[in-house]
Amino acid sequence: DIIGLREGEKLFEELLYDIPTENKKIFITKIEDKNINVDYHLEKLKEAIKSPDKQNLKQLLNEFIAG
């Protein structure tokens, strides 16, 4: 039975294929927002991994993704 999309399911994926690399499955994209501090977020994740708390890790990942 076809019932349509499930909650949260996408109809299609938006892929950011900007710059190809030697590997056909890996691409590089340009980040528009230059204010992202990747080092800060990576340090926070490294600290969180030492005493893993699922809720804390989810929160940190959401903050990183949200920018």
Side-chain angles (χ1 to χ4, degrees):
D1 294 335
I2 299 175
I3 58 171
L5 294 176
R6 295 180 178 159
E7 184 178 339
E9 190 175 6
K10 293 182 177 183
L11 185 58
F12 62 93
E13 290 290 327
E14 298 173 36
L15 302 176
L16 302 172
Y17 291 159
D18 290 340
I19 304 167
T21 63
E22 292 178 12
N23 186 324
K24 294 178 182 179
K25 296 181 179 182
I26 298 175
F27 290 82
I28 300 172
T29 189
K30 296 177 186 175
I31 297 176
E32 300 280 331
D33 185 3
K34 306 266 187 227
N35 295 324
I36 297 173
N37 187 343
V38 175
D39 292 329
Y40 168 78
H41 290 289
L42 290 176
E43 283 303 316
K44 297 288 280 184
L45 287 171
K46 284 180 187 177
E47 291 172 17
I49 289 171
K50 292 177 185 175
S51 58
D53 170 17
K54 284 185 182 181
Q55 192 60 35
N56 185 36
L57 289 171
K58 285 181 183 180
Q59 181 181 351
L60 288 172
L61 289 172
N62 282 330
E63 288 174 15
F64 182 67
I65 292 168

